[in-house]
Short mmCIF file of all heavy atoms in Angstrom, two decimals:
data_model
loop_
_atom_site.label_atom_id
_atom_site.label_comp_id
_atom_site.label_asym_id
_atom_site.label_seq_id
_atom_site.Cartn_x
_atom_site.Cartn_y
_atom_site.Cartn_z
N ALA A 43 -93.10 -30.90 -240.97
CA ALA A 43 -94.23 -31.08 -241.90
C ALA A 43 -95.29 -30.04 -241.57
O ALA A 43 -95.76 -29.97 -240.44
CB ALA A 43 -94.82 -32.47 -241.75
N GLY A 44 -95.63 -29.21 -242.53
CA GLY A 44 -96.62 -28.17 -242.29
C GLY A 44 -96.01 -26.85 -241.88
O GLY A 44 -96.71 -25.91 -241.56
N MET A 45 -94.67 -26.78 -241.89
CA MET A 45 -94.02 -25.53 -241.51
C MET A 45 -93.57 -24.73 -242.72
O MET A 45 -92.91 -23.71 -242.58
CB MET A 45 -92.79 -25.81 -240.64
CG MET A 45 -93.12 -25.98 -239.19
SD MET A 45 -91.67 -25.61 -238.22
CE MET A 45 -92.25 -26.11 -236.61
N GLY A 46 -93.92 -25.21 -243.90
CA GLY A 46 -93.43 -24.54 -245.10
C GLY A 46 -94.30 -23.38 -245.53
O GLY A 46 -95.08 -22.85 -244.76
N LEU A 47 -94.15 -23.05 -246.79
CA LEU A 47 -94.80 -21.86 -247.34
C LEU A 47 -96.32 -21.90 -247.15
O LEU A 47 -96.94 -20.89 -246.88
CB LEU A 47 -94.44 -21.75 -248.82
CG LEU A 47 -94.70 -20.42 -249.52
CD1 LEU A 47 -94.15 -19.25 -248.73
CD2 LEU A 47 -94.10 -20.46 -250.91
N CYS A 48 -96.93 -23.07 -247.27
CA CYS A 48 -98.40 -23.11 -247.16
C CYS A 48 -98.86 -23.31 -245.74
O CYS A 48 -100.05 -23.29 -245.47
CB CYS A 48 -98.99 -24.17 -248.09
SG CYS A 48 -99.25 -25.78 -247.34
N GLN A 49 -97.92 -23.52 -244.81
CA GLN A 49 -98.26 -23.63 -243.38
C GLN A 49 -99.27 -24.76 -243.10
O GLN A 49 -100.17 -24.60 -242.29
CB GLN A 49 -98.77 -22.29 -242.86
CG GLN A 49 -97.69 -21.22 -242.77
CD GLN A 49 -96.71 -21.53 -241.65
OE1 GLN A 49 -97.06 -21.59 -240.49
NE2 GLN A 49 -95.44 -21.73 -242.01
N GLY A 50 -99.07 -25.85 -243.81
CA GLY A 50 -99.88 -27.03 -243.51
C GLY A 50 -101.26 -27.02 -244.10
O GLY A 50 -102.09 -27.85 -243.77
N ARG A 51 -101.52 -26.08 -245.01
CA ARG A 51 -102.87 -25.99 -245.54
C ARG A 51 -103.22 -27.20 -246.41
O ARG A 51 -104.38 -27.53 -246.59
CB ARG A 51 -103.07 -24.69 -246.30
CG ARG A 51 -103.70 -23.66 -245.39
CD ARG A 51 -103.38 -22.23 -245.80
NE ARG A 51 -103.27 -21.46 -244.57
CZ ARG A 51 -102.22 -20.74 -244.21
NH1 ARG A 51 -101.16 -20.66 -244.98
NH2 ARG A 51 -102.20 -20.11 -243.07
N SER A 52 -102.21 -27.85 -247.00
CA SER A 52 -102.56 -29.05 -247.76
C SER A 52 -102.33 -30.33 -246.99
O SER A 52 -102.95 -31.33 -247.31
CB SER A 52 -101.82 -29.12 -249.11
OG SER A 52 -101.01 -28.02 -249.34
N CYS A 53 -101.46 -30.33 -245.98
CA CYS A 53 -101.10 -31.62 -245.38
C CYS A 53 -101.62 -31.85 -243.97
O CYS A 53 -101.58 -32.98 -243.51
CB CYS A 53 -99.59 -31.83 -245.41
SG CYS A 53 -98.68 -30.70 -244.35
N SER A 54 -102.10 -30.82 -243.28
CA SER A 54 -102.39 -31.07 -241.87
C SER A 54 -103.53 -32.06 -241.69
O SER A 54 -103.53 -32.86 -240.76
CB SER A 54 -102.65 -29.76 -241.10
OG SER A 54 -103.76 -29.11 -241.62
N ARG A 55 -104.47 -32.05 -242.60
CA ARG A 55 -105.56 -33.01 -242.49
C ARG A 55 -105.07 -34.44 -242.77
O ARG A 55 -105.50 -35.40 -242.13
CB ARG A 55 -106.66 -32.63 -243.48
CG ARG A 55 -108.02 -33.03 -243.00
CD ARG A 55 -109.06 -32.58 -244.00
NE ARG A 55 -110.14 -33.55 -244.06
CZ ARG A 55 -111.15 -33.59 -243.21
NH1 ARG A 55 -111.23 -32.72 -242.23
NH2 ARG A 55 -112.08 -34.50 -243.31
N THR A 56 -104.16 -34.55 -243.73
CA THR A 56 -103.58 -35.86 -244.02
C THR A 56 -102.81 -36.38 -242.82
O THR A 56 -102.92 -37.54 -242.44
CB THR A 56 -102.63 -35.76 -245.23
OG1 THR A 56 -103.32 -35.13 -246.29
CG2 THR A 56 -102.15 -37.12 -245.66
N ILE A 57 -102.03 -35.48 -242.22
CA ILE A 57 -101.24 -35.89 -241.05
C ILE A 57 -102.17 -36.31 -239.92
O ILE A 57 -101.93 -37.30 -239.24
CB ILE A 57 -100.29 -34.75 -240.62
CG1 ILE A 57 -99.25 -34.50 -241.71
CG2 ILE A 57 -99.61 -35.07 -239.30
CD1 ILE A 57 -98.44 -33.25 -241.53
N ALA A 58 -103.26 -35.57 -239.76
CA ALA A 58 -104.24 -35.93 -238.72
C ALA A 58 -104.75 -37.34 -238.95
O ALA A 58 -104.86 -38.14 -238.03
CB ALA A 58 -105.39 -34.93 -238.72
N ARG A 59 -105.01 -37.65 -240.22
CA ARG A 59 -105.54 -38.98 -240.52
C ARG A 59 -104.50 -40.07 -240.23
O ARG A 59 -104.81 -41.12 -239.67
CB ARG A 59 -105.98 -39.04 -241.99
CG ARG A 59 -106.94 -40.18 -242.28
CD ARG A 59 -107.18 -40.33 -243.77
NE ARG A 59 -105.97 -40.69 -244.47
CZ ARG A 59 -105.50 -40.05 -245.54
NH1 ARG A 59 -106.15 -39.03 -246.03
NH2 ARG A 59 -104.38 -40.45 -246.12
#
Side-chain angles (χ1 to χ4, degrees):
Chain A
M45 276 204 188
L47 195 49
C48 93
Q49 290 289 299
R51 265 154 215 124
S52 358
C53 67
S54 61
R55 210 178 145 83
T56 308
I57 294 169
R59 199 189 64 232

